Amino acid sequence: MIQENEIPKYLKSTGSDISKSNRKSKHKHHYEECMIQYKSTFAGKTHLNTGLYTYCTICGKINERFKENKSIVKDYIRTVDTQIGKCYSCISDEELYEKYHDKLPVFFVDDIYKEKYVDLEQNCNSDCNSEGE
Ligand SMILES: [Zn+2]
């Protein structure tokens, strides 16, 4: 006697993951200064860049950096005397990071041109490693 085990042909996938991002829907963005690190590829090599930005502390939205008078980074743009006169140059990524990574939260995104939000969980409370000097 042959027993036919009936195999359910259509397994209902009831557990469809609702991956709704838990962005708080209605709020006024509250921006704080931060640094964002992102990768960039140049000539086949991947570099880690650090940039000065702001992010919404509620939803993580990335925004432009503050104006200099609002920023704690006072030397972001500096004047350099050259043969042809004064030039402006930005602080280098390395210097920015070295000087300010203990003063500003640092986030990492894969692609700064695509990502619109930082992962707020990356920011351990700035107090969490408050070692006295
Ligand atoms: Zn927001």
Side-chain angles (χ1 to χ4, degrees):
M1 209 176 177
I2 298 164
Q3 223 175 352
E4 280 190 23
N5 282 332
E6 196 152 314
I7 299 159
K9 277 182 188 147
Y10 33 91
L11 281 163
K12 267 192 185 171
S13 57
T14 43
S16 60
D17 278 9
I18 302 160
S19 54
K20 260 188 189 169
S21 43
N22 263 346
R23 316 267 185 231
K24 301 212 171 77
S25 48
K26 269 197 178 175
H27 64 273
K28 196 171 179 292
H29 293 306
H30 175 79
Y31 292 109
E32 294 279 351
E33 213 166 17
C34 70
M35 287 191 284
I36 297 180
Q37 295 195 300
Y38 56 95
K39 282 184 267 183
S40 72
T41 309
F42 180 73
K45 280 186 179 173
T46 305
H47 298 271
L48 188 65
N49 299 320
T50 308
L52 187 61
Y53 292 87
T54 57
Y55 75 108
C56 172
T57 54
I58 300 155
C59 66
K61 190 171 168 49
I62 302 170
N63 203 6
E64 295 175 349
R65 69 184 171 87
F66 285 153
K67 296 257 188 313
E68 210 164 343
N69 58 3
K70 223 181 152 189
S71 169
I72 71 157
V73 182
K74 292 300 177 201
D75 52 354
Y76 190 77
I77 292 170
R78 59 187 59 172
T79 0
V80 185
D81 285 311
T82 68
Q83 291 172 335
I84 52 160
K86 281 192 193 303
C87 282
Y88 295 99
S89 81
C90 282
I91 190 171
S92 75
D93 291 9
E94 291 80 13
E95 200 180 339
L96 179 69
Y97 184 80
E98 281 303 314
K99 277 189 171 171
Y100 294 102
H101 72 273
D102 53 354
K103 298 185 178 69
L104 292 171
V106 183
F107 295 102
F108 180 81
V109 299
D110 263 336
D111 188 338
I112 193 69
Y113 302 106
K114 282 187 196 152
E115 308 277 341
K116 296 282 178 270
Y117 293 88
V118 295
D119 183 357
L120 287 174
E121 283 171 26
Q122 283 178 9
N123 180 24
C124 77
N125 293 328
S126 45
D127 301 321
C128 76
N129 47 10
S130 55
E131 304 156 36
E133 304 234 329

